[in-house]
Amino acid sequence: MLNEIPLSRPDTPLLDKVDNPSDLKLLELDQLAQLAEELRAFLLYSVGQTGGHFGAGLGVVELTIALHYVFDTPTDKLVWDVGHQAYPHKILTGRRDQMLTMRQAGGLAAFPNRGESEYDTFGVGHSSTSISAALGMMVAAKTQGKERHNIAVIGDGAMTAGMAFEALNHAGHLDDNILVILNDNNMSISNNVGGLSSYFARMWASKPYNFIRTGSKRVLAKIPPALKAAHRAEEYMKGMVSPGTLFEEIGFNYIGLIDGHDTNGLVDILNNIKTLRGPQLLHIVTQKGKGYLESENDPFGMHALSKIDPGPASMTEPTEATEENEEPAPKTLSSPSYSEVFGNWMCEVARQDELMVGITPAMGEGSGMRKFAAEYPDRFHDVAIAEQHAVTFAAGMACDGLKPIVAIYSTFLQRGYDQLIHDVALQNLNVMFAIDRAGLVGEDGPTHAGSFDLSYLRCIPNMLVMTPSNEDETHKLLSTGYCFDGPSAIRYPRGKGPGQEIETGLNPVEIGKAVVRRRGSAVAILAFGSMVSPALEAADKLDSTVVDMRFVKPLDIDTIGDMAAQHQLLVTIEENSLMGGAGSAVNEFLLASNYQIPVLNLGLPDAFLEHGKVPQMLADVALDGVSITAAIKKKLKDCKIQSEAI
């Protein structure tokens, strides 16, 4: 048991011999327990150097070893859900010496990535996709006449999503060879694994039991009532000692509960399962953060770790299972994060309006709702990893007079898009979406980036879409959305703002009204949200006008018209995909109104941007102050516009 994060590389003689799973298979079975200890120590060391998710990975060290020891990966397809728990998998599949590049530009991705390794069979980052993906691979193999095993590893949290059950139901219908491993780290091994449950789990995975089971059913199939009675008897017997009845009803052969930290036991039972036919569900019980005392005592708070200095270890604030860990803020910046602004605003409004309720799909702490949940537990609803349900749940509340606020990350709102259109916007319901992590998110990469929300929101009728530029604007626009009669969305970035003092109180602004932040000549910069700060930086060098647009829908067309009449070049800047985004909205207005003025649109390119530090990523796509200045100067030259800036 480790009490602290190793600051120097631990001694790992066995692990050093394992460059890929074929090396792992050369070890004796009695060496695997030592390998697990070394792997756990190396995982803690490497994540301490880079930051990242480690609690879930610590919990599946033994399972990861057993899977690669028993199965012939990458021929056999191993699909990890979400990917938080895949760091041990990366270490054992040829990437041990690259782990110190994790989450850094040009280094290893924070999640499994098909472009990174042949052992990463499916790119993940969002939860509850593994069973569907593995099922698709199973069908593909069968269609092409390939003999291989298909394994999906899914956690108990990810199993809360409807998508997981849809895939389970389909797998039961197909009735072919797939193994689903349910990693349950919300249960106590000492209370649930042992005695009868372990004995029966080993028996259900054994060859003799399954030979008798399938053979007797073939005989009894000639006598349908007898077959039905035998099947029911088996279900009742299993139901007395395990929670597997649901999975049996779907069509899986349920095997569990199994100690997920018994490497030899896992190897034994997986070897047996390899011989079985049809859908199998292995239910293992693990301890999140296993082997690191602080993480074992606080598995949710220690879900992720910031990289540590050579001095005393410092941990991040507690995070949700779906949240990437926060960047430590510069010491000179004492302002709250955008998430904290939202959380404080929630409590402020809740004191005034008892109809306000908060909803989140497993993003409560990451979205800043911890204080609200503590003060108003009856008005806080965490619906687990169920984005689609969260949106329609809010719609139902709004139909009956409540004023729900859905706190969700931009990347995860994508999963509830149909419900947003059909259940909220079509009915013009008073549901407000507080969209966190808009724009680039840094080390967690493209699976978590909020690059598209302005594009996919502004095309929806009835929607009010807002982009605050600082903390005070966030507070005001939250109030504006809350007072709006219809669906609204406010999107703000990860981390902290420029440090603007917040004016408390429910102070909505005029809908569709922009604010001119700086007056200049020749160039007018129409900036949206987080891009106002770099726009002001560029404007100081160019003597440009800067307009904080505030609203993407409805646009302030009067101000845009004034800017077009008073300037020689309009520039739009947004931290969103250029295609279909806020700049496109401005272009559409100018074209429809027959304005003849050059326009420069700046935003995220038509590409998925890999992980890195946000400031550098913005510079790489020309969205920092220096790059914006250079782009405007080039446009002025190309258009032969005379300006003192050139």
Side-chain angles (χ1 to χ4, degrees), residues 160-162 361-362 383-391:
T160 64
V383 301
I385 303 172
E387 294 88 354
Q388 298 175 357
H389 167 64
V391 176

Side-chain angles (χ1 to χ4, degrees), residues 158-169:
M159 191 64 92
T160 64
M163 181 177 179
F165 281 93
E166 290 172 4
L168 285 171
N169 186 58

Side-chain angles (χ1 to χ4, degrees), residues 383-457:
V383 301
I385 303 172
E387 294 88 354
Q388 298 175 357
H389 167 64
V391 176
T392 304
F393 182 51
M397 289 182 169
C399 284
D400 231 7
L402 294 183
K403 301 187 74 171
I405 298 169
V406 180
I408 191 168
Y409 296 177
S410 173
T411 185
F412 296 121
L413 182 56
Q414 294 164 185
R415 306 185 76 173
Y417 191 57
D418 179 62
Q419 289 71 26
L420 172 59
I421 295 173
H422 184 273
D423 299 337
V424 175
L426 182 62
Q427 302 184 87
N428 202 26
L429 296 173
N430 289 341
V431 177
M432 187 170 84
F433 295 89
I435 305 172
D436 206 333
R437 277 40 170 199
L440 302 179
V441 295
E443 287 90 338
D444 283 330
T447 60
H448 284 59
S451 305
F452 311 109
D453 52 76
L454 295 185
S455 301
Y456 70 66
L457 287 172

Side-chain angles (χ1 to χ4, degrees), residues 475-554:
H475 194 278
K476 285 183 169 65
L477 292 180
L478 282 166
S479 299
T480 304
Y482 188 71
C483 296
F484 178 66
D485 186 17
S488 62
I490 175 172
R491 60 104 74 172
Y492 40 87
R494 177 184 183 177
K496 297 177 181 289
Q500 182 69 38
E501 184 178 350
I502 298 172
E503 180 185 345
T504 60
L506 195 63
N507 300 312
V509 303
E510 182 181 348
I511 289 175
K513 186 63 178 176
V515 178
V516 177
R517 300 294 181 190
R518 186 188 190 282
R519 292 283 181 180
S521 61
V523 178
I525 304 175
L526 312 180
F528 294 85
S530 60
M531 290 293 100
V532 170
S533 290
L536 287 168
E537 179 184 338
D540 286 341
K541 299 173 182 177
L542 297 167
D543 188 26
S544 301
T545 297
V546 175
V547 181
D548 181 348
M549 292 299 296
R550 282 181 164 174
F551 296 89
V552 176
K553 186 174 186 178

Side-chain angles (χ1 to χ4, degrees), residues 58-76:
L58 290 173
V60 296
V61 165
E62 290 82 4
L63 174 64
T64 307
I65 291 171
L67 284 168
H68 285 295
Y69 192 78
V70 170
F71 291 99
D72 183 23
T73 55
T75 300
D76 290 335

Side-chain angles (χ1 to χ4, degrees), residues 312-336:
S314 62
M315 303 302 163
T316 60
E317 289 297 310
T319 60
E320 282 289 338
T322 55
E323 187 205 350
E324 63 280 8
N325 73 293
E326 291 284 352
E327 283 294 315
K331 293 181 180 179
T332 56
L333 201 60
S334 60
S335 61

